[in-house]
Amino acid sequence: MSQNAIIELRAVHKSYRLGAHLVQALQGVDLQVYPGELLALTGPSGSGKSTILNLCGLIDRADQGEVMINGKNIADMNDQQLTLQRRDTIGFIFQSFNLVPVMTVAENVDYPLFLKGVSRSERQARVAAQLKAVGLDEHAHHLPDALSGGQRQRVAIARALIKRPSIVIADEPTASLDSHTADQVLDLMRERGHAEGAAFIIASHDDRLTRRADRIVSLLDGKLQ
Ligand code: ADP
């Protein structure tokens, strides 16, 4: 692709110490993620998917090799700069939704903008637009407990996109959903990612995901296939 990658891993190695053992989670991974694409990360359990997501989400650092975000090497950023980069450019979606149960749907979606210090009037307009885009405008004042699993994941999609991130990271986002709902949620992620120009990096071994992905990357034993 001629476009510049939004995130790039170059010859990345990552290992974890487990007692006396060193577990090689990634062994020389090169990966580019481009703006707006839906990238499916597949591979058996233990192949390194979550480790890649943690590196792309700036939650963890590589042992060797480089992680570049928007052309900047994260090795040159201190922890505070990394936190800001993560807050402003990356959205996260989880298998178990991770909504705040005492906040309404609108408050959950608003929270990242509140933390960023966006004005109240702008927040209200952006939250309303995001909730409409995921088909939940009529549920704005409900608590998450009153929603189905699929609706909760829609709230999580709106919350991830409200900051206008360049990247959204999702670890097994359909694992708690029935197959019909999983189809709908994946369609929505694809549509919303393309509409907002946000790259979605989704780890899953769900065939539904690979059918919808713009690109599929397969991992085995910490190496890309
Ligand atoms: P996947 O997401 O594909 O299941 P992971 O990235 O979670 O794979 O794990 C890759 C390898 O690293 C596995 O062997 C796993 O056991 C190991 N691993 C992951 N996280 C840790 C950790 N915090 N401590 C020790 N080993 C870990």
Side-chain angles (χ1 to χ4, degrees):
M1 265 194 230
S2 57
Q3 237 178 342
N4 289 331
I6 180 74
I7 194 147
E8 183 170 4
L9 309 188
R10 293 183 187 157
V12 163
H13 289 252
K14 177 78 190 171
S15 52
Y16 298 100
R17 187 160 289 286
L18 199 64
H21 298 280
L22 206 58
V23 181
Q24 306 274 354
L26 296 179
Q27 309 188 57
V29 168
D30 292 292
L31 177 70
Q32 291 87 31
V33 183
Y34 295 97
E37 73 172 338
L38 194 165
L39 181 75
L41 201 54
T42 66
S45 183
S47 58
K49 301 184 296 297
S50 300
T51 303
I52 288 191
L53 293 186
N54 288 341
L55 292 171
C56 291
L58 312 185
I59 288 168
D60 212 346
R61 291 179 186 264
D63 297 336
Q64 276 180 54
E66 290 170 343
V67 177
M68 314 285 294
I69 181 157
N70 264 327
K72 284 180 253 163
N73 192 332
I74 74 156
D76 299 331
M77 299 180 195
N78 62 30
D79 284 347
Q80 193 189 0
Q81 290 168 321
L82 272 188
T83 301
L84 282 180
Q85 184 75 244
R86 191 166 52 233
R87 186 193 75 180
D88 293 343
T89 58
I90 306 174
F92 293 90
I93 295 174
F94 305 90
Q95 175 181 339
S96 50
F97 321 127
N98 289 18
L99 303 178
V100 181
V102 294
M103 288 183 170
T104 65
V105 164
E107 287 165 349
N108 267 280
V109 175
D110 178 54
Y111 198 51
L113 293 187
F114 171 77
L115 289 180
K116 223 176 141 176
V118 176
S119 75
R120 192 180 167 81
S121 58
E122 185 181 342
R123 278 161 40 209
Q124 278 176 342
R126 282 169 64 175
V127 169
Q130 278 299 335
L131 287 180
K132 195 163 193 307
V134 298
L136 285 178
D137 36 341
E138 289 177 7
H139 297 274
H141 303 297
H142 294 164
L143 290 173
D145 267 1
L147 304 182
S148 68
Q151 288 172 326
R152 287 182 209 186
Q153 205 55 306
R154 285 167 183 264
V155 178
I157 294 168
R159 179 182 58 183
L161 288 170
I162 192 86
K163 307 185 285 189
R164 301 185 178 135
S166 335
I167 306 158
V168 176
I169 293 192
D171 201 354
E172 301 282 355
T174 56
S176 309
L177 306 175
D178 65 67
S179 61
H180 177 63
T181 308
D183 277 332
Q184 293 178 328
V185 163
L186 287 169
D187 282 340
L188 184 67
M189 287 202 269
R190 183 178 158 85
E191 176 212 315
R192 298 293 302 130
H194 287 173
E196 301 262 348
F200 270 65
I201 310 173
I202 309 181
S204 171
H205 22 243
D206 189 339
D207 285 344
R208 288 181 195 84
L209 169 65
T210 45
R211 285 202 298 274
R212 288 166 171 86
D214 297 313
R215 200 150 60 90
I216 302 168
V217 165
S218 292
L219 267 170
L220 188 64
D221 297 333
K223 295 181 186 146
L224 294 185
Q225 296 300 287

